[in-house]
Amino acid sequence: MTRTSVTLCADESRAAGEDPIGTAPHWAEVTVLELDVPVWAQLRSVDTWTPAQSAVFAALRGKVESSGAGFGLLMSAPLSPGAPLRVRHYVRGPGGYCRQDYAADLPQSEWARGLHDTLIEPARLRDWDALPAPERGADLHVCTHGTVDAACGRYGVPVHAALREAGERAWRTGHFGGHRFAATAVELPSGLLWAHLTPALAVQVARREVSPAEVAGHLRGFAGLSARAQVLDRALLVQHGWDWLTAQREAQVDGDLVTLTATVAGHTRTYCAAVTDAEPLLLPGSSHKPDRAPVRQYVLGEMEIHPAAPQALPLL
């Protein structure tokens, strides 16, 4: 039998020179469910959800519609397969997100309980065991979900393996969007999303062995901000260096005009710039569907700083 080759969407994205900035989702909080890989398919199978599981997602949709605040849901394989349900919850805070871990004597099939108690009714977290979170270092959630898109299996698996071999905290993670950016990863608590990582580059990024300027073309954006604000935020990360991630950043977007306010150690500065649309690219959204659609690209205009001051914030 002849095997049909698949053109990977990630290869087409790289070949087209796509700039991934502005493609990170906008999250106010993130819940990470530690689930064995076979359970990932159960969570994604809407037709098999119980009424209680469906009710959780209905409540989450209502929460987003009423507040406008999105949430992230990540599925990561636990270090010990078959372990009881464990949840990592990240809430937007200074310099990114704040992490809190919870454990319960519940089977993984109770994943909806973890979503409900972290994202809908946090008062119920008193019934969980709060666990100490690591004091330092990043969690790299690498999409390895090859059954959703072949690109994530092809490129994500070796990136995850390289990070683990290097001693970094890396998690084999289910689909979270952005197949064409494989290997793609969510870095927490910084809230950065990465695109087109290689095994070597992923380790360098995790250890901050490269400057932001060197990896700017691999940054999808900071999930704490909306798309156009992510474009301005990346420019400021390149300008200030990795210490920029310690700043509390908030942004307002009015049409194309982005106003980003950063606060560090009591010092506040506001940055304004127009972020306009560039000529879009026509790219497939999946390795398994040949249909192409316009992909938005951005152009950052001249930046203004208020109050006028030297370029560097007193970050340290």
Side-chain angles (χ1 to χ4, degrees):
M1 183 174 66
T2 302
R3 190 172 188 178
T4 303
S5 61
V6 174
T7 300
L8 299 180
C9 56
D11 292 342
E12 296 213 31
S13 171
R14 283 193 296 271
E18 179 181 6
D19 185 350
I21 192 63
T23 64
H26 186 191
W27 293 332
E29 54 189 318
V30 185
T31 289
V32 183
L33 303 173
E34 293 193 13
L35 304 174
D36 293 335
V37 174
V39 184
W40 295 359
Q42 297 174 23
L43 194 149
R44 291 176 54 84
S45 181
V46 178
D47 294 339
T48 64
W49 285 351
T50 67
Q53 291 167 342
S54 297
V56 168
F57 279 95
L60 287 172
R61 284 192 295 272
K63 175 180 177 179
V64 172
E65 290 170 0
S66 62
S67 68
F71 64 89
L73 165 59
L74 301 177
M75 303 174 291
S76 66
L79 299 180
S80 300
L85 182 63
R86 180 168 171 165
V87 178
R88 299 193 300 280
H89 187 215
Y90 299 82
V91 178
R92 183 86 157 81
Y97 295 78
C98 300
R99 171 180 166 176
Q100 178 61 64
D101 292 20
Y102 299 94
D105 189 18
L106 295 171
Q108 293 180 19
S109 58
E110 292 294 316
W111 51 262
R113 170 82 179 273
L115 281 177
H116 178 275
D117 291 4
T118 52
L119 297 175
I120 300 172
E121 196 175 350
R124 293 181 57 173
L125 289 171
R126 62 177 176 268
D127 297 329
W128 295 68
D129 294 326
L131 305 176
E135 293 183 3
R136 296 182 179 275
D139 297 305
L140 275 298
H141 300 86
V142 184
C143 183
T144 60
H145 212 159
T147 57
V148 173
D149 195 283
C152 296
R154 169 69 178 83
Y155 295 118
V157 170
V159 164
H160 170 261
L163 287 165
R164 294 289 301 171
E165 289 170 6
E168 302 298 326
R169 288 204 307 273
W171 303 88
R172 184 181 178 189
T173 305
H175 168 68
F176 50 77
H179 313 304
R180 69 180 186 274
F181 301 121
T184 182
V186 178
E187 178 188 314
L188 291 165
S190 71
L192 300 181
L193 272 79
W194 296 100
H196 300 149
L197 292 174
T198 65
L201 182 60
V203 174
Q204 289 179 310
V205 166
R207 295 177 174 176
R208 303 298 192 239
E209 293 176 346
V210 286
S211 70
E214 293 174 281
V215 292
H218 293 268
L219 186 59
R220 294 180 59 185
F222 169 45
L225 300 173
S226 59
R228 291 185 191 275
Q230 291 170 13
V231 180
L232 177 55
D233 184 68
R234 179 180 68 173
L236 290 164
L237 173 63
V238 169
Q239 177 178 304
H240 293 288
W242 293 116
D243 286 335
W244 175 252
L245 300 181
T246 66
Q248 175 65 34
R249 290 110 73 201
E250 304 293 343
Q252 292 183 337
V253 180
D254 183 6
D256 293 339
L257 180 63
V258 178
T259 302
L260 189 153
T261 300
T263 302
V264 179
H267 297 271
T268 299
R269 189 160 302 150
T270 299
Y271 304 82
C272 301
V275 178
T276 56
D277 289 354
E279 187 69 23
L281 300 174
L282 284 177
L283 292 172
S286 165
S287 299
H288 311 287
K289 295 180 180 179
D291 296 342
R292 294 171 178 266
V295 170
R296 179 169 281 171
Q297 299 283 270
Y298 297 100
V299 175
L300 177 64
E302 185 175 350
M303 190 188 310
E304 295 182 1
I305 305 175
H306 305 281
Q311 292 294 304
L313 270 173
L315 291 168
L316 293 175

mmCIF file of all heavy atoms in Angstrom, residues 149-176:
data_model
loop_
_atom_site.group_PDB
_atom_site.id
_atom_site.type_symbol
_atom_site.label_atom_id
_atom_site.label_comp_id
_atom_site.label_asym_id
_atom_site.label_seq_id
_atom_site.Cartn_x
_atom_site.Cartn_y
_atom_site.Cartn_z
ATOM 1 N N ASP A 149 -2.629 16.920 15.219
ATOM 2 C CA ASP A 149 -1.902 17.399 14.046
ATOM 3 C C ASP A 149 -0.524 16.747 14.024
ATOM 4 O O ASP A 149 0.187 16.749 15.029
ATOM 5 C CB ASP A 149 -1.772 18.920 14.060
ATOM 6 C CG ASP A 149 -1.346 19.461 12.702
ATOM 7 O OD1 ASP A 149 -0.149 19.343 12.371
ATOM 8 O OD2 ASP A 149 -2.209 19.970 11.976
ATOM 9 N N ALA A 150 -0.172 16.213 12.857
ATOM 10 C CA ALA A 150 1.098 15.494 12.725
ATOM 11 C C ALA A 150 2.290 16.379 13.034
ATOM 12 O O ALA A 150 3.324 15.889 13.505
ATOM 13 C CB ALA A 150 1.217 14.920 11.315
ATOM 14 N N ALA A 151 2.181 17.684 12.792
ATOM 15 C CA ALA A 151 3.310 18.580 13.038
ATOM 16 C C ALA A 151 3.683 18.597 14.516
ATOM 17 O O ALA A 151 4.864 18.674 14.868
ATOM 18 C CB ALA A 151 2.975 19.999 12.556
ATOM 19 N N CYS A 152 2.678 18.520 15.387
ATOM 20 C CA CYS A 152 2.957 18.564 16.823
ATOM 21 C C CYS A 152 3.638 17.286 17.294
ATOM 22 O O CYS A 152 4.464 17.315 18.212
ATOM 23 C CB CYS A 152 1.657 18.810 17.591
ATOM 24 S SG CYS A 152 0.917 20.422 17.237
ATOM 25 N N GLY A 153 3.305 16.158 16.676
ATOM 26 C CA GLY A 153 4.015 14.932 17.002
ATOM 27 C C GLY A 153 5.428 14.945 16.459
ATOM 28 O O GLY A 153 6.383 14.575 17.152
ATOM 29 N N ARG A 154 5.575 15.410 15.227
ATOM 30 C CA ARG A 154 6.887 15.402 14.564
ATOM 31 C C ARG A 154 7.874 16.320 15.269
ATOM 32 O O ARG A 154 9.037 15.966 15.487
ATOM 33 C CB ARG A 154 6.716 15.828 13.097
ATOM 34 C CG ARG A 154 8.011 16.122 12.353
ATOM 35 C CD ARG A 154 8.831 14.856 12.128
ATOM 36 N NE ARG A 154 10.037 15.141 11.370
ATOM 37 C CZ ARG A 154 11.167 15.602 11.883
ATOM 38 N NH1 ARG A 154 11.231 15.862 13.186
ATOM 39 N NH2 ARG A 154 12.220 15.809 11.119
ATOM 40 N N TYR A 155 7.447 17.511 15.634
ATOM 41 C CA TYR A 155 8.372 18.494 16.190
ATOM 42 C C TYR A 155 8.270 18.638 17.708
ATOM 43 O O TYR A 155 9.249 19.010 18.353
ATOM 44 C CB TYR A 155 8.144 19.852 15.518
ATOM 45 C CG TYR A 155 8.481 19.850 14.047
ATOM 46 C CD1 TYR A 155 7.503 20.105 13.087
ATOM 47 C CD2 TYR A 155 9.775 19.570 13.612
ATOM 48 C CE1 TYR A 155 7.814 20.089 11.727
ATOM 49 C CE2 TYR A 155 10.092 19.553 12.264
ATOM 50 C CZ TYR A 155 9.110 19.813 11.327
ATOM 51 O OH TYR A 155 9.421 19.784 9.991
ATOM 52 N N GLY A 156 7.096 18.402 18.274
ATOM 53 C CA GLY A 156 6.932 18.590 19.706
ATOM 54 C C GLY A 156 7.591 17.527 20.549
ATOM 55 O O GLY A 156 8.182 17.820 21.601
ATOM 56 N N VAL A 157 7.513 16.263 20.107
ATOM 57 C CA VAL A 157 8.063 15.163 20.909
ATOM 58 C C VAL A 157 9.565 15.318 21.153
ATOM 59 O O VAL A 157 10.037 15.219 22.292
ATOM 60 C CB VAL A 157 7.728 13.808 20.254
ATOM 61 C CG1 VAL A 157 8.496 12.671 20.934
ATOM 62 C CG2 VAL A 157 6.219 13.534 20.327
ATOM 63 N N PRO A 158 10.385 15.583 20.125
ATOM 64 C CA PRO A 158 11.824 15.756 20.405
ATOM 65 C C PRO A 158 12.144 16.996 21.233
ATOM 66 O O PRO A 158 13.116 16.990 22.002
ATOM 67 C CB PRO A 158 12.462 15.835 19.012
ATOM 68 C CG PRO A 158 11.352 16.131 18.075
ATOM 69 C CD PRO A 158 10.118 15.555 18.659
ATOM 70 N N VAL A 159 11.348 18.055 21.118
ATOM 71 C CA VAL A 159 11.581 19.239 21.946
ATOM 72 C C VAL A 159 11.305 18.921 23.407
ATOM 73 O O VAL A 159 12.094 19.272 24.300
ATOM 74 C CB VAL A 159 10.711 20.422 21.466
ATOM 75 C CG1 VAL A 159 10.634 21.509 22.530
ATOM 76 C CG2 VAL A 159 11.289 21.001 20.176
ATOM 77 N N HIS A 160 10.203 18.224 23.671
ATOM 78 C CA HIS A 160 9.898 17.834 25.053
ATOM 79 C C HIS A 160 11.003 16.950 25.614
ATOM 80 O O HIS A 160 11.453 17.138 26.752
ATOM 81 C CB HIS A 160 8.552 17.101 25.103
ATOM 82 C CG HIS A 160 8.261 16.465 26.418
ATOM 83 N ND1 HIS A 160 8.473 15.120 26.661
ATOM 84 C CD2 HIS A 160 7.803 16.991 27.587
ATOM 85 C CE1 HIS A 160 8.142 14.843 27.918
ATOM 86 N NE2 HIS A 160 7.739 15.949 28.491
ATOM 87 N N ALA A 161 11.459 15.981 24.815
ATOM 88 C CA ALA A 161 12.506 15.063 25.276
ATOM 89 C C ALA A 161 13.798 15.819 25.591
ATOM 90 O O ALA A 161 14.462 15.542 26.601
ATOM 91 C CB ALA A 161 12.760 13.994 24.215
ATOM 92 N N ALA A 162 14.166 16.781 24.753
ATOM 93 C CA ALA A 162 15.395 17.535 24.982
ATOM 94 C C ALA A 162 15.320 18.351 26.264
ATOM 95 O O ALA A 162 16.297 18.432 27.027
ATOM 96 C CB ALA A 162 15.669 18.454 23.786
ATOM 97 N N LEU A 163 14.170 18.954 26.523
ATOM 98 C CA LEU A 163 14.011 19.736 27.750
ATOM 99 C C LEU A 163 14.111 18.844 28.975
ATOM 100 O O LEU A 163 14.754 19.210 29.972
ATOM 101 C CB LEU A 163 12.665 20.463 27.726
ATOM 102 C CG LEU A 163 12.568 21.661 26.773
ATOM 103 C CD1 LEU A 163 11.110 22.061 26.575
ATOM 104 C CD2 LEU A 163 13.373 22.842 27.309
ATOM 105 N N ARG A 164 13.492 17.687 28.925
ATOM 106 C CA ARG A 164 13.554 16.761 30.066
ATOM 107 C C ARG A 164 14.989 16.274 30.285
ATOM 108 O O ARG A 164 15.467 16.217 31.425
ATOM 109 C CB ARG A 164 12.633 15.567 29.825
ATOM 110 C CG ARG A 164 11.151 15.914 29.790
ATOM 111 C CD ARG A 164 10.599 16.291 31.128
ATOM 112 N NE ARG A 164 10.763 15.221 32.094
ATOM 113 C CZ ARG A 164 10.525 15.358 33.400
ATOM 114 N NH1 ARG A 164 10.150 16.524 33.889
ATOM 115 N NH2 ARG A 164 10.682 14.343 34.225
ATOM 116 N N GLU A 165 15.669 15.950 29.196
ATOM 117 C CA GLU A 165 17.050 15.469 29.312
ATOM 118 C C GLU A 165 17.967 16.552 29.871
ATOM 119 O O GLU A 165 18.956 16.259 30.550
ATOM 120 C CB GLU A 165 17.554 15.002 27.949
ATOM 121 C CG GLU A 165 16.900 13.712 27.476
ATOM 122 C CD GLU A 165 17.230 13.390 26.029
ATOM 123 O OE1 GLU A 165 18.067 14.117 25.441
ATOM 124 O OE2 GLU A 165 16.656 12.413 25.502
ATOM 125 N N ALA A 166 17.619 17.812 29.616
ATOM 126 C CA ALA A 166 18.424 18.931 30.115
ATOM 127 C C ALA A 166 18.077 19.291 31.556
ATOM 128 O O ALA A 166 18.686 20.208 32.126
ATOM 129 C CB ALA A 166 18.229 20.153 29.220
ATOM 130 N N GLY A 167 17.111 18.582 32.142
ATOM 131 C CA GLY A 167 16.747 18.831 33.530
ATOM 132 C C GLY A 167 15.755 19.953 33.723
ATOM 133 O O GLY A 167 15.535 20.408 34.854
ATOM 134 N N GLU A 168 15.111 20.410 32.626
ATOM 135 C CA GLU A 168 14.112 21.467 32.745
ATOM 136 C C GLU A 168 12.745 20.863 33.075
ATOM 137 O O GLU A 168 12.488 19.692 32.812
ATOM 138 C CB GLU A 168 14.026 22.271 31.440
ATOM 139 C CG GLU A 168 15.339 22.904 31.008
ATOM 140 C CD GLU A 168 15.863 23.915 32.013
ATOM 141 O OE1 GLU A 168 15.046 24.609 32.656
ATOM 142 O OE2 GLU A 168 17.096 24.004 32.170
ATOM 143 N N ARG A 169 11.861 21.691 33.659
ATOM 144 C CA ARG A 169 10.506 21.230 33.956
ATOM 145 C C ARG A 169 9.673 21.341 32.682
ATOM 146 O O ARG A 169 9.171 22.401 32.329
ATOM 147 C CB ARG A 169 9.866 22.055 35.074
ATOM 148 C CG ARG A 169 10.439 21.790 36.447
ATOM 149 C CD ARG A 169 9.443 22.140 37.553
ATOM 150 N NE ARG A 169 8.916 23.481 37.446
ATOM 151 C CZ ARG A 169 9.491 24.565 37.973
ATOM 152 N NH1 ARG A 169 10.639 24.441 38.625
ATOM 153 N NH2 ARG A 169 8.943 25.752 37.838
ATOM 154 N N ALA A 170 9.559 20.240 31.979
ATOM 155 C CA ALA A 170 8.815 20.207 30.727
ATOM 156 C C ALA A 170 7.701 19.191 30.834
ATOM 157 O O ALA A 170 7.848 18.139 31.459
ATOM 158 C CB ALA A 170 9.741 19.858 29.558
ATOM 159 N N TRP A 171 6.584 19.511 30.207
ATOM 160 C CA TRP A 171 5.385 18.691 30.284
ATOM 161 C C TRP A 171 4.922 18.327 28.886
ATOM 162 O O TRP A 171 4.804 19.195 28.010
ATOM 163 C CB TRP A 171 4.271 19.439 31.019
ATOM 164 C CG TRP A 171 4.657 19.883 32.393
ATOM 165 C CD1 TRP A 171 5.279 21.063 32.746
ATOM 166 C CD2 TRP A 171 4.479 19.162 33.614
ATOM 167 N NE1 TRP A 171 5.482 21.109 34.094
ATOM 168 C CE2 TRP A 171 5.005 19.958 34.668
ATOM 169 C CE3 TRP A 171 3.914 17.925 33.928
ATOM 170 C CZ2 TRP A 171 4.984 19.557 35.993
ATOM 171 C CZ3 TRP A 171 3.892 17.527 35.255
ATOM 172 C CH2 TRP A 171 4.428 18.337 36.266
ATOM 173 N N ARG A 172 4.652 17.046 28.676
ATOM 174 C CA ARG A 172 4.055 16.589 27.424
ATOM 175 C C ARG A 172 2.587 16.994 27.453
ATOM 176 O O ARG A 172 1.820 16.523 28.299
ATOM 177 C CB ARG A 172 4.202 15.076 27.303
ATOM 178 C CG ARG A 172 3.708 14.508 25.992
ATOM 179 C CD ARG A 172 3.859 13.008 25.964
ATOM 180 N NE ARG A 172 3.335 12.467 24.717
ATOM 181 C CZ ARG A 172 3.178 11.177 24.492
ATOM 182 N NH1 ARG A 172 3.513 10.281 25.419
ATOM 183 N NH2 ARG A 172 2.686 10.764 23.326
ATOM 184 N N THR A 173 2.192 17.885 26.547
ATOM 185 C CA THR A 173 0.922 18.579 26.681
ATOM 186 C C THR A 173 0.041 18.376 25.460
ATOM 187 O O THR A 173 0.531 18.273 24.333
ATOM 188 C CB THR A 173 1.177 20.084 26.897
ATOM 189 O OG1 THR A 173 2.059 20.238 28.024
ATOM 190 C CG2 THR A 173 -0.110 20.837 27.181
ATOM 191 N N GLY A 174 -1.291 18.313 25.701
ATOM 192 C CA GLY A 174 -2.269 18.175 24.633
ATOM 193 C C GLY A 174 -2.469 19.476 23.876
ATOM 194 O O GLY A 174 -1.968 20.535 24.254
ATOM 195 N N HIS A 175 -3.241 19.389 22.806
ATOM 196 C CA HIS A 175 -3.474 20.509 21.891
ATOM 197 C C HIS A 175 -3.961 21.755 22.626
ATOM 198 O O HIS A 175 -4.880 21.698 23.429
ATOM 199 C CB HIS A 175 -4.516 20.084 20.855
ATOM 200 C CG HIS A 175 -5.062 21.209 20.043
ATOM 201 N ND1 HIS A 175 -4.295 21.897 19.133
ATOM 202 C CD2 HIS A 175 -6.294 21.775 19.999
ATOM 203 C CE1 HIS A 175 -5.036 22.828 18.565
ATOM 204 N NE2 HIS A 175 -6.252 22.782 19.068
ATOM 205 N N PHE A 176 -3.330 22.916 22.340
ATOM 206 C CA PHE A 176 -3.810 24.191 22.875
ATOM 207 C C PHE A 176 -3.882 25.249 21.774
ATOM 208 O O PHE A 176 -4.030 26.431 22.047
ATOM 209 C CB PHE A 176 -2.922 24.693 24.029
ATOM 210 C CG PHE A 176 -1.441 24.708 23.756
ATOM 211 C CD1 PHE A 176 -0.870 25.708 22.978
ATOM 212 C CD2 PHE A 176 -0.623 23.720 24.285
ATOM 213 C CE1 PHE A 176 0.491 25.728 22.732
ATOM 214 C CE2 PHE A 176 0.743 23.736 24.045
ATOM 215 C CZ PHE A 176 1.304 24.734 23.268
#
